[in-house]
Amino acid sequence: MKTIGLIGGMSWESSVEYYRIINEEVKKRLGRLHSAKCLLYSVDFEEIERFQSEGKWEEAGNLLGDVALSLEKGGADFIVICTNTMHKVVENIEKKINIPILHIADATAKQIKKLNVKTIGLLGTKYTMEQDFYKNRIESNGIKVIIPNDSEIEIVNKVIYNELCLGSIQQSSRDYYKKVIKNLVNNGAEGIILGCTEIGLLIKQEDSEVPLFDTAEIHAIESVKTALGE
């Protein structure tokens, strides 16, 4: 079994889910008392969010690159960044290490293609929805990506940072997300990417008439497959 290097804490609410899913999947595949060989470096999200809001992406990338290097020195065989947004700086991180990064968008695109979905709606932070670093990675797989309108983007983003990252699950926010999902479906989405690792805490499959792709779950399971050489 390879050792998974997890960069977590962005936010820790979803990092907990990664750890749970990864260990449950290892137990499911290997049985008995098996659990995952993994290292978790949990950063201070306040510092990362400040870099995000100030547009200091290079600084954020350098910080996470140092974290990834620490995981490599600790024995990690590959890196899993437990957040969608910070894949914006994946190239900065790759420059500092000699082990691969398991990209969350690649793992997600693989699952979308399995269901033969051609047009996908994307929910996430405003950075993930509006900028190209994530959408282009999905679209390179022949999948069209559509996003909410400007006012919906602002509220979806606000819920992530002001509620979900703080462990607050509000029914009013769930209802709003369901409305946004419905609008995306009406605009042609055949499925929805929950493109922020916290959204799966709020929205479940029963909240949508089309398939949901929970990136935290997909990424965590793909990391287990990689660790076990599947």
Side-chain angles (χ1 to χ4, degrees):
M1 189 193 307
K2 292 181 178 178
T3 299
I4 307 168
L6 299 160
I7 303 180
M10 301 173 285
S11 68
W12 70 263
E13 298 285 346
S14 60
S15 301
V16 170
E17 291 300 299
Y18 269 83
Y19 188 72
R20 178 185 62 79
I21 294 166
I22 286 170
N23 281 288
E24 286 180 350
E25 285 298 314
V26 168
K27 183 173 66 175
K28 184 187 302 181
R29 284 166 164 75
L30 301 182
R32 293 179 54 81
L33 297 176
H34 284 289
S35 55
K37 292 172 65 178
C38 63
L39 301 171
L40 170 62
Y41 191 127
S42 188
V43 302
D44 180 2
F45 190 37
E46 177 74 20
E47 187 175 7
I48 299 297
E49 193 281 328
R50 192 181 310 120
F51 283 141
Q52 291 176 347
S53 62
E54 294 175 358
K56 295 181 177 179
W57 295 101
E58 185 173 354
E59 289 89 336
N62 289 336
L63 188 156
L64 295 184
D66 290 339
V67 168
L69 182 59
S70 294
L71 290 169
E72 180 180 358
K73 289 179 177 178
D77 293 299
F78 64 98
I79 298 295
V80 173
I81 309 166
C82 304
T83 166
N84 288 270
T85 300
M86 296 315 295
H87 279 75
K88 177 178 173 66
V89 298
V90 71
E91 292 180 0
N92 303 67
I93 301 171
E94 287 173 333
K95 290 176 183 176
K96 294 203 172 191
I97 58 176
N98 298 299
I99 56 175
I101 296 174
L102 185 65
H103 201 293
I104 195 168
D106 294 345
T108 302
K110 185 188 297 187
Q111 294 303 312
I112 295 170
K113 290 168 74 174
K114 281 184 179 180
L115 293 187
N116 201 32
V117 170
K118 301 298 185 184
T119 302
I120 196 81
L122 174 61
L123 299 179
T125 67
K126 62 182 179 182
Y127 312 109
T128 300
M129 291 186 283
E130 292 179 341
Q131 298 179 18
D132 291 332
F133 70 92
Y134 193 90
K135 291 183 290 187
N136 286 353
R137 196 95 178 197
I138 298 293
E139 289 181 333
S140 69
N141 289 272
I143 303 162
K144 179 183 178 182
V145 177
I146 60 175
I147 61 174
N149 63 42
D150 290 347
S151 61
E152 290 173 336
I153 284 174
E154 288 301 319
I155 297 176
V156 167
N157 183 76
K158 183 177 179 181
V159 168
I160 291 169
Y161 283 98
N162 293 355
E163 296 176 18
L164 302 183
C165 287
L166 299 174
S168 175
I169 308 299
Q170 302 292 329
Q171 182 61 43
S172 58
S173 296
R174 180 179 292 112
D175 292 340
Y176 187 82
Y177 269 53
K178 288 168 67 173
K179 185 178 75 171
V180 174
I181 290 170
K182 180 68 174 177
N183 290 342
L184 287 169
V185 171
N186 290 341
N187 287 330
E190 303 163 0
I192 303 292
I193 297 174
L194 305 185
C196 169
T197 52
E198 282 81 25
I199 296 178
L201 303 173
L202 178 71
I203 295 294
K204 307 297 182 184
Q205 185 57 62
E206 58 263 28
D207 297 315
S208 170
E209 63 188 74
V210 297
L212 298 180
F213 297 88
D214 183 341
T215 53
E217 181 177 23
I218 290 168
H219 203 201
I221 292 173
E222 189 67 19
S223 71
V224 171
K225 293 179 180 177
T226 301
L228 298 180
E230 295 181 6

